[in-house]
Tab-separated table of all heavy atoms in Angstrom:
chain	number	residue	atom	x	y	z
K	36	SER	N	21.267	-4.248	0.590
K	36	SER	CA	20.810	-5.536	0.086
K	36	SER	C	21.439	-5.839	-1.269
K	36	SER	O	21.852	-6.972	-1.548
K	36	SER	CB	19.278	-5.532	-0.023
K	36	SER	OG	18.809	-6.774	-0.467
K	37	TYR	N	21.534	-4.817	-2.135
K	37	TYR	CA	22.143	-4.995	-3.452
K	37	TYR	C	23.581	-5.493	-3.318
K	37	TYR	O	24.000	-6.439	-3.993
K	37	TYR	CB	22.115	-3.685	-4.244
K	37	TYR	CG	22.821	-3.803	-5.574
K	37	TYR	CD1	22.126	-4.250	-6.688
K	37	TYR	CD2	24.181	-3.514	-5.703
K	37	TYR	CE1	22.776	-4.396	-7.908
K	37	TYR	CE2	24.828	-3.656	-6.914
K	37	TYR	CZ	24.129	-4.099	-8.014
K	37	TYR	OH	24.769	-4.257	-9.209
K	40	GLN	N	23.595	-9.113	-2.119
K	40	GLN	CA	23.098	-10.034	-3.147
K	40	GLN	C	24.109	-10.198	-4.284
K	40	GLN	O	24.249	-11.291	-4.837
K	40	GLN	CB	21.763	-9.539	-3.714
K	40	GLN	CG	20.614	-9.708	-2.760
K	40	GLN	CD	19.334	-9.250	-3.381
K	40	GLN	OE1	18.958	-9.723	-4.444
K	40	GLN	NE2	18.652	-8.324	-2.734
K	41	ARG	N	24.794	-9.135	-4.624
K	41	ARG	CA	25.826	-9.230	-5.664
K	41	ARG	C	26.931	-10.169	-5.201
K	41	ARG	O	27.384	-11.030	-5.955
K	41	ARG	CB	26.397	-7.850	-5.980
K	41	ARG	CG	27.387	-7.869	-7.128
K	41	ARG	CD	27.853	-6.450	-7.479
K	41	ARG	NE	28.751	-6.482	-8.588
K	41	ARG	CZ	30.061	-6.798	-8.505
K	41	ARG	NH1	30.596	-7.109	-7.338
K	41	ARG	NH2	30.812	-6.814	-9.591
K	43	PHE	N	26.609	-12.574	-3.057
K	43	PHE	CA	26.005	-13.911	-3.066
K	43	PHE	C	26.044	-14.510	-4.472
K	43	PHE	O	26.387	-15.671	-4.660
K	43	PHE	CB	24.564	-13.830	-2.557
K	43	PHE	CG	23.780	-15.093	-2.719
K	43	PHE	CD1	23.994	-16.179	-1.881
K	43	PHE	CD2	22.819	-15.204	-3.715
K	43	PHE	CE1	23.266	-17.349	-2.019
K	43	PHE	CE2	22.089	-16.369	-3.864
K	43	PHE	CZ	22.305	-17.444	-3.019
K	44	ALA	N	25.690	-13.703	-5.467
K	44	ALA	CA	25.686	-14.181	-6.850
K	44	ALA	C	27.098	-14.543	-7.306
K	44	ALA	O	27.292	-15.542	-8.008
K	44	ALA	CB	25.073	-13.131	-7.779
K	52	THR	N	29.011	-9.668	-14.772
K	52	THR	CA	27.829	-9.006	-15.313
K	52	THR	C	26.551	-9.591	-14.725
K	52	THR	O	25.662	-8.860	-14.292
K	52	THR	CB	27.805	-9.124	-16.858
K	52	THR	OG1	29.013	-8.557	-17.376
K	52	THR	CG2	26.605	-8.399	-17.443
K	53	SER	N	26.466	-10.918	-14.711
K	53	SER	CA	25.281	-11.569	-14.144
K	53	SER	C	25.134	-11.258	-12.664
K	53	SER	O	24.024	-11.027	-12.174
K	53	SER	CB	25.350	-13.087	-14.330
K	53	SER	OG	25.368	-13.411	-15.694
K	54	ALA	N	26.254	-11.247	-11.937
K	54	ALA	CA	26.212	-10.941	-10.510
K	54	ALA	C	25.754	-9.502	-10.271
K	54	ALA	O	25.072	-9.213	-9.293
K	54	ALA	CB	27.578	-11.169	-9.876
K	55	THR	N	26.105	-8.607	-11.169
K	55	THR	CA	25.680	-7.223	-11.051
K	55	THR	C	24.187	-7.078	-11.337
K	55	THR	O	23.499	-6.268	-10.717
K	55	THR	CB	26.488	-6.333	-12.021
K	55	THR	OG1	27.871	-6.456	-11.677
K	55	THR	CG2	26.079	-4.882	-11.935
K	56	LEU	N	23.676	-7.881	-12.268
K	56	LEU	CA	22.262	-7.796	-12.654
K	56	LEU	C	21.327	-8.607	-11.760
K	56	LEU	O	20.155	-8.260	-11.615
K	56	LEU	CB	22.101	-8.237	-14.108
K	56	LEU	CG	22.783	-7.364	-15.150
K	56	LEU	CD1	22.661	-7.979	-16.538
K	56	LEU	CD2	22.217	-5.948	-15.132
K	57	TRP	N	21.836	-9.694	-11.179
K	57	TRP	CA	20.974	-10.586	-10.399
K	57	TRP	C	20.222	-9.864	-9.287
K	57	TRP	O	19.005	-10.045	-9.148
K	57	TRP	CB	21.793	-11.762	-9.842
K	57	TRP	CG	20.917	-12.823	-9.254
K	57	TRP	CD1	20.230	-13.779	-9.923
K	57	TRP	CD2	20.624	-13.017	-7.863
K	57	TRP	NE1	19.531	-14.569	-9.052
K	57	TRP	CE2	19.754	-14.118	-7.775
K	57	TRP	CE3	21.009	-12.375	-6.700
K	57	TRP	CZ2	19.266	-14.592	-6.568
K	57	TRP	CZ3	20.520	-12.842	-5.495
K	57	TRP	CH2	19.665	-13.941	-5.435
K	58	PRO	N	20.881	-9.009	-8.483
K	58	PRO	CA	20.134	-8.312	-7.426
K	58	PRO	C	19.019	-7.425	-7.991
K	58	PRO	O	18.013	-7.204	-7.319
K	58	PRO	CB	21.188	-7.453	-6.723
K	58	PRO	CG	22.482	-8.088	-7.053
K	58	PRO	CD	22.315	-8.709	-8.403
K	59	LEU	N	19.207	-6.941	-9.218
K	59	LEU	CA	18.166	-6.096	-9.808
K	59	LEU	C	16.891	-6.887	-10.092
K	59	LEU	O	15.791	-6.339	-10.029
K	59	LEU	CB	18.676	-5.429	-11.085
K	59	LEU	CG	19.859	-4.474	-10.898
K	59	LEU	CD1	20.320	-3.938	-12.244
K	59	LEU	CD2	19.507	-3.349	-9.936
K	60	SER	N	17.043	-8.189	-10.387
K	60	SER	CA	15.838	-8.999	-10.612
K	60	SER	C	15.071	-9.180	-9.304
K	60	SER	O	13.843	-9.095	-9.281
K	60	SER	CB	16.192	-10.356	-11.231
K	60	SER	OG	16.862	-11.184	-10.293
K	61	VAL	N	15.795	-9.384	-8.217
K	61	VAL	CA	15.136	-9.535	-6.911
K	61	VAL	C	14.572	-8.190	-6.460
K	61	VAL	O	13.394	-8.082	-6.113
K	61	VAL	CB	16.123	-10.085	-5.858
K	61	VAL	CG1	15.481	-10.134	-4.480
K	61	VAL	CG2	16.633	-11.464	-6.265
K	62	ASP	N	15.407	-7.156	-6.480
K	62	ASP	CA	14.953	-5.838	-6.027
K	62	ASP	C	13.954	-5.215	-6.999
K	62	ASP	O	13.081	-4.448	-6.587
K	62	ASP	CB	16.151	-4.912	-5.799
K	62	ASP	CG	16.990	-5.357	-4.606
K	62	ASP	OD1	16.453	-6.065	-3.738
K	62	ASP	OD2	18.182	-5.003	-4.547
K	63	GLY	N	14.064	-5.546	-8.279
K	63	GLY	CA	13.068	-5.075	-9.249
K	63	GLY	C	11.700	-5.659	-8.958
K	63	GLY	O	10.687	-4.954	-9.006
K	64	LEU	N	11.671	-6.955	-8.642
K	64	LEU	CA	10.403	-7.587	-8.252
K	64	LEU	C	9.860	-6.917	-6.992
K	64	LEU	O	8.669	-6.604	-6.906
K	64	LEU	CB	10.602	-9.086	-8.005
K	64	LEU	CG	9.388	-9.839	-7.450
K	64	LEU	CD1	8.263	-9.856	-8.470
K	64	LEU	CD2	9.777	-11.250	-7.051
K	65	LEU	N	10.748	-6.666	-6.045
K	65	LEU	CA	10.323	-5.992	-4.809
K	65	LEU	C	9.779	-4.594	-5.098
K	65	LEU	O	8.775	-4.188	-4.511
K	65	LEU	CB	11.494	-5.885	-3.834
K	65	LEU	CG	11.725	-7.093	-2.960
K	65	LEU	CD1	13.014	-6.942	-2.161
K	65	LEU	CD2	10.562	-7.312	-2.028
K	66	LEU	N	10.435	-3.871	-5.995
K	66	LEU	CA	9.980	-2.527	-6.331
K	66	LEU	C	8.590	-2.562	-6.971
K	66	LEU	O	7.692	-1.810	-6.580
K	66	LEU	CB	10.977	-1.838	-7.267
K	66	LEU	CG	10.600	-0.430	-7.723
K	66	LEU	CD1	10.509	0.510	-6.532
K	66	LEU	CD2	11.601	0.081	-8.735
K	67	LEU	N	8.405	-3.447	-7.939
K	67	LEU	CA	7.090	-3.565	-8.585
K	67	LEU	C	6.017	-3.984	-7.589
K	67	LEU	O	4.905	-3.460	-7.588
K	67	LEU	CB	7.157	-4.571	-9.735
K	67	LEU	CG	7.963	-4.140	-10.953
K	67	LEU	CD1	8.095	-5.298	-11.931
K	67	LEU	CD2	7.321	-2.941	-11.624
K	68	ALA	N	6.353	-4.954	-6.746
K	68	ALA	CA	5.388	-5.417	-5.756
K	68	ALA	C	5.080	-4.321	-4.737
K	68	ALA	O	3.940	-4.161	-4.314
K	68	ALA	CB	5.911	-6.665	-5.057
K	90	ALA	N	4.298	-11.783	-4.443
K	90	ALA	CA	5.531	-11.326	-5.094
K	90	ALA	C	6.392	-10.542	-4.115
K	90	ALA	O	7.621	-10.717	-4.066
K	90	ALA	CB	5.194	-10.463	-6.312
K	91	PHE	N	5.762	-9.692	-3.322
K	91	PHE	CA	6.513	-8.906	-2.349
K	91	PHE	C	7.172	-9.815	-1.312
K	91	PHE	O	8.372	-9.706	-1.046
K	91	PHE	CB	5.585	-7.897	-1.661
K	91	PHE	CG	6.288	-7.073	-0.630
K	91	PHE	CD1	7.159	-6.062	-1.002
K	91	PHE	CD2	6.093	-7.309	0.718
K	91	PHE	CE1	7.821	-5.309	-0.054
K	91	PHE	CE2	6.751	-6.560	1.671
K	91	PHE	CZ	7.621	-5.554	1.285
K	93	LEU	N	7.806	-13.065	-1.477
K	93	LEU	CA	8.802	-13.929	-2.104
K	93	LEU	C	10.099	-13.155	-2.364
K	93	LEU	O	11.196	-13.657	-2.120
K	93	LEU	CB	8.254	-14.506	-3.415
K	93	LEU	CG	9.130	-15.514	-4.138
K	93	LEU	CD1	9.398	-16.730	-3.263
K	93	LEU	CD2	8.477	-15.931	-5.442
K	94	GLY	N	9.970	-11.923	-2.835
K	94	GLY	CA	11.150	-11.079	-3.042
K	94	GLY	C	11.899	-10.842	-1.742
K	94	GLY	O	13.129	-10.908	-1.700
K	95	ILE	N	11.168	-10.582	-0.658
K	95	ILE	CA	11.797	-10.397	0.655
K	95	ILE	C	12.505	-11.679	1.091
K	95	ILE	O	13.636	-11.647	1.584
K	95	ILE	CB	10.756	-9.966	1.711
K	95	ILE	CG1	10.283	-8.539	1.458
K	95	ILE	CG2	11.300	-10.110	3.131
K	95	ILE	CD1	11.325	-7.465	1.710
K	97	VAL	N	13.731	-14.211	-0.776
K	97	VAL	CA	14.932	-14.448	-1.578
K	97	VAL	C	16.027	-13.454	-1.183
K	97	VAL	O	17.196	-13.825	-1.027
K	97	VAL	CB	14.619	-14.363	-3.094
K	97	VAL	CG1	15.892	-14.354	-3.922
K	97	VAL	CG2	13.715	-15.514	-3.507
K	98	SER	N	15.650	-12.208	-1.005
K	98	SER	CA	16.615	-11.194	-0.604
K	98	SER	C	17.223	-11.525	0.757
K	98	SER	O	18.439	-11.441	0.951
K	98	SER	CB	15.929	-9.822	-0.560
K	98	SER	OG	16.838	-8.821	-0.184
K	101	ALA	N	19.612	-14.565	0.370
K	101	ALA	CA	20.851	-14.179	-0.315
K	101	ALA	C	21.724	-13.303	0.566
K	101	ALA	O	22.944	-13.460	0.602
K	101	ALA	CB	20.524	-13.458	-1.620
Side-chain angles (χ1 to χ4, degrees):
S36 182
Y37 176 87
Q40 287 182 56
R41 185 176 182 280
F43 171 75
T52 303
S53 298
T55 300
L56 296 175
W57 190 80
L59 297 177
S60 70
V61 175
D62 292 337
L64 174 66
L65 275 173
L66 179 62
L67 291 173
F91 179 74
L93 185 60
I95 290 291
V97 170
S98 180

